[in-house]
Amino acid sequence: MAASSKDRRVDGLVVEEIDGELLVVHPGTGEAHALNGASAAVFRACDGSTSRAAMVELLAERSGLPADEEILHLALSELVDAGLVVAGSPVSSPSRRQVLRRLGLTVAAAAALPIVETMMVRPAAAQASTPSGSQPVGAPVGAPVGAPVGAPVGAPVGAPVGAPVGAPVGAPVGAPVAVPVAAPVAAPVSPPMAPSSVNTPPPPAAVPAGPGPGPKTLDLTYLVVGGGGSGAYSDGDSGTGGGGAGGVVTGTATAAIAGTYRVLVGAGGDFSDGGNSTFEPYALAVGGGFGLNDSSPVARSGGSGAGGSSDNYVVQAGGGGTAGQGHDGGSGAGYAPHGGGGGGGAGVAGSSGTEYAGGAGGAGVATGMPAAVVAAYVGGGGGGGGFPGGPGGIGGGGAGGDTGAAGVAGTGGGGGGSRDYFQQGGRGGSGVVVISYATPSSGVIGGGGTVFYIGGRTYHRFSSNGTFTIS
């Protein structure tokens, strides 16, 4: 057996982990593959440096199967045939029946043998482009960005090794698949997202906390965005305030391996403030404030404050933002027909309304993360209602108008304010939490959310509540 197999994963794959099993989408071919626990363990180990001898031991540890080279070759042959792995040396193709007869496996052990199931085929993905650079987290608004929000981009990627496998083999893979893994199926899956080569600065390498093999901690970078507040409804022929953006918190943390961390993602406000988002115990981003209309006594504060309105020709100030997370909303005009103030953004305060026009929502901040993972900007304030309505702030803010537009989901953008009689303001955009780290060469794996392996880093995006784990 060779000292190092140099088996490696194919670049550009998008991987989602569900209870120790994997759904792997190949954007280049459009194929989606379901990997059971045993196949997932081998797939993760194909990093171009782990020896096949080590893979045999790892597969036995993770799956409960015997430590047998033929079982490894069964997994590798299926992964190579599926186009997910490039073999560094010849791979035999034993049949499942041969393995069962030679090893005399029980029925339960036989069910744990590696399975790679191709679930559907879509037309090949369009050729992606690669941006020339990116901005650091929280960069000033207006700096050049490598790609527009949500633009598909493509580049070589890497992936971690050794994820724990504990889910029963043959169980449903997850949301996209509702049948046992072993059964051929043509169930729909989410469209593949092309990865990016955005050059985010890598954090320091994990530092061992004491003697023994491998690191004891993992250095993380996180982005936490609260839900945006909704724009106000109009109870007269006057513009109302735009919703404040959800607060934006970025930072780094050194987390213990074998740790479990709760993640909560704030909902966008619906005639209300936005919900808070948290990455416990490291960060809490406050939801954006709900916009103000003529009947409201005070504009709502939040991660960013809501835009103000007016009350009997008295200027109503916008709500206040949370220090370090967002900015104040703009004031409403003090005369009729007045425009409502723009909601505050994570990067800039909202603009005040004028005699007719609504104020612009405050601009958000750049994420500096790949477009496949999260929007280039988050935390834009909602525009104030008016004639015309104020534009939403970059970063997902909804525009104001006769009827306010909704903030963009996954950005914490505030909803736009309304102007026409009894029209609803736009609801706020939901928040998002992204946790990333330098992809370990072996032995450490994070779990939870939707996982992306891009440019030597691993990203976990949470669009709803969940748990981030390190093992």
Side-chain angles (χ1 to χ4, degrees):
M1 199 181 301
S4 177
S5 68
K6 296 185 179 179
D7 303 310
R8 61 176 179 82
R9 292 177 296 275
V10 172
D11 292 336
L13 302 176
V14 177
V15 181
E16 182 165 3
E17 178 185 1
I18 305 170
D19 295 330
E21 300 186 352
L22 297 179
L23 179 66
V24 183
V25 176
H26 195 315
T29 65
E31 293 180 344
H33 306 276
L35 279 58
N36 73 348
S39 294
V42 176
F43 174 78
R44 294 180 187 281
C46 292
D47 57 1
S49 61
T50 301
S51 70
R52 287 189 180 169
M55 289 187 192
V56 168
E57 297 300 323
L58 176 65
L59 177 56
E61 176 187 346
R62 301 299 187 185
S63 67
L65 292 165
D68 184 84
E69 185 176 2
E70 201 167 53
I71 297 177
L72 172 64
H73 278 251
L74 178 62
L76 286 172
S77 64
E78 294 205 6
L79 291 167
V80 170
D81 289 345
L84 304 181
V85 165
V86 176
S89 57
V91 178
S92 63
S93 300
S95 70
R96 205 169 296 275
R97 179 174 297 180
Q98 288 173 332
V99 175
L100 290 173
R101 285 179 175 177
R102 186 175 64 81
L103 296 177
L105 298 178
T106 65
V107 173
L113 286 173
I115 297 172
V116 176
E117 186 67 36
T118 299
M119 304 176 59
M120 71 173 296
V121 179
R122 293 179 179 271
Q127 184 70 26
S129 60
T130 301
S132 59
S134 65
Q135 296 163 300
V137 174
V141 175
V145 184
V149 174
V153 289
V157 304
V161 175
V165 176
V169 176
V173 173
V177 184
V179 299
V181 172
V185 65
V189 299
S190 300
M193 298 178 67
S196 163
S197 63
V198 175
N199 297 317
T200 54
V207 178
K216 305 301 182 185
T217 59
L218 189 63
D219 291 326
L220 308 175
T221 298
Y222 56 81
L223 165 71
V224 182
V225 182
S230 64
Y233 76 94
S234 177
D235 56 2
D237 188 19
S238 297
T240 63
V248 177
V249 179
T250 62
T252 60
T254 300
I257 291 176
T260 299
Y261 305 89
R262 188 166 69 151
V263 174
L264 300 178
V265 179
D270 186 9
F271 198 61
S272 64
D273 299 334
N276 297 341
S277 293
T278 61
F279 172 33
E280 299 178 351
Y282 301 113
L284 182 151
V286 180
F290 171 35
L292 179 72
N293 66 13
D294 287 356
S295 302
S296 304
V298 179
R300 302 281 298 185
S301 297
S304 284
S309 185
S310 72
D311 182 21
N312 295 323
Y313 299 93
V314 176
V315 172
Q316 293 278 17
T322 300
Q325 299 192 19
H327 293 79
D328 298 350
S331 300
Y335 33 79
H338 64 267
V348 177
S351 299
S352 296
T354 64
E355 183 175 0
Y356 292 98
V365 294
T367 63
M369 293 184 176
V373 178
V374 70
Y377 286 86
V378 293
F387 185 75
I394 185 172
D402 285 348
T403 300
V408 177
T411 68
S418 62
R419 183 198 69 86
D420 210 357
Y421 284 93
F422 306 110
Q423 293 299 308
Q424 182 69 45
R427 69 175 299 160
S430 57
V432 68
V433 175
V434 180
I435 303 164
S436 74
Y437 47 89
T439 301
S441 59
S442 63
V444 178
I445 183 63
T450 301
V451 184
F452 302 83
Y453 305 118
I454 301 175
R457 293 188 67 79
T458 300
Y459 297 84
H460 296 255
R461 182 186 67 206
F462 290 85
S463 300
S464 58
N465 299 343
T467 301
F468 174 68
T469 61
I470 312 174
S471 58

